[in-house]
Amino acid sequence: MLRESGAETESGAGMGEWNVVITVREQKYQTAWTHLQAFGKVQKTDFYNVLTLQVPDLAGFRDHLAQLCAEKSDILNVLSRVVPAQVVFAFQTAEEFDEKAREAVLRWLPDLAGKSFYVRLYRRGFRGRIVSPEEERSLDEVLLSALEERGTPGRIDFEDPDLVIDVETVGNRAGLALWSRAELERYPFLRVR
């Protein structure tokens, strides 16, 4: 079952609940931890320079962090990527991940209708079982086919897409988000492309 971010979900591989994935720049782990504690529950992961965060209000968090980045531009020297997830789920197998990821991206068909887009997957864990380029292509194809069936064809564009679907995995948990071109420009910490 997929859950909207912020809802109770199953725990994953020794890592707790999260709805934000953070990649920290080299040797900036403690500084990042200090900045992020003000937003919610920060957690270590089993992956190098990767933290997770549970925040109660994704939109508020995103806007507050954008304001902080504007005021203190050096924060982007600490935080490499910060990605809030609009949908989160746990999975135990690559097949379960694929099934739930397909279900998640299909909910965005109305947003993708007639638009250019692509899927980007940042995988941490399940090495060799989930292959990022293959999964990205598979989800792109699922969406293109579903859009065609609806009579609202979309197209893949890696140069200047209208929308990007970001898929983040940390162990056996995944978070997905849909970002518009304007949001990618407004929130410099997303760095999805």
Side-chain angles (χ1 to χ4, degrees):
M1 171 192 317
L2 296 177
R3 311 250 177 138
E4 289 297 322
S5 184
E8 281 298 308
T9 57
E10 305 85 10
S11 297
M15 290 174 254
E17 304 295 321
W18 55 262
N19 56 2
V20 182
V21 177
I22 303 104
T23 307
V24 179
R25 293 200 184 274
E26 197 72 31
Q27 300 180 353
K28 301 293 184 177
Y29 194 87
Q30 191 57 48
T31 306
W33 187 283
T34 302
H35 281 297
L36 295 168
Q37 281 184 318
F39 295 107
K41 183 180 177 188
V42 184
Q43 300 169 83
K44 296 178 183 180
T45 71
D46 296 336
F47 304 94
Y48 187 69
N49 283 350
V50 176
L51 296 170
T52 59
L53 178 65
Q54 178 70 30
V55 300
D57 174 14
L58 283 176
F61 164 74
R62 190 182 59 216
D63 291 339
H64 187 201
L65 185 57
Q67 181 181 352
L68 186 62
C69 289
E71 293 168 3
K72 299 179 179 183
S73 60
D74 65 324
I75 197 160
L76 293 176
N77 294 327
V78 174
L79 305 173
S80 178
R81 293 183 68 239
V82 178
V83 184
Q86 298 156 355
V87 177
V88 294
F89 61 82
F91 60 94
Q92 299 303 317
T93 65
E95 294 75 22
E96 184 181 11
F97 168 79
D98 187 56
E99 179 183 323
K100 289 182 175 181
R102 286 171 187 251
E103 182 183 334
V105 299
L106 287 171
R107 70 176 49 196
W108 289 315
L109 285 176
D111 300 295
L112 297 168
K115 303 273 177 53
S116 63
F117 66 93
Y118 68 87
V119 175
R120 177 67 68 224
L121 170 62
Y122 294 88
R123 179 200 49 77
R124 297 160 198 92
F126 276 73
R127 181 180 221 152
R129 293 180 282 168
I130 297 174
V131 180
S132 296
E134 289 175 14
E135 190 63 35
E136 290 167 351
R137 276 191 299 277
S138 174
L139 292 173
D140 282 340
E141 290 170 10
V142 163
L143 289 167
L144 288 171
S145 177
L147 288 166
E148 189 69 38
E149 286 176 21
R150 291 172 63 123
T152 57
R155 63 186 173 79
I156 301 302
D157 181 352
F158 294 106
E159 296 302 317
D160 188 29
D162 297 314
L163 299 154
V164 176
I165 296 174
D166 181 28
V167 183
E168 303 281 332
T169 70
V170 180
N172 70 338
R173 294 183 59 76
L176 294 84
L178 177 68
W179 303 110
S180 68
R181 181 184 298 118
E183 288 170 322
L184 291 170
E185 291 170 7
R186 181 175 178 196
Y187 304 116
F189 47 82
L190 292 174
R191 294 186 176 137
V192 173
R193 298 187 210 196

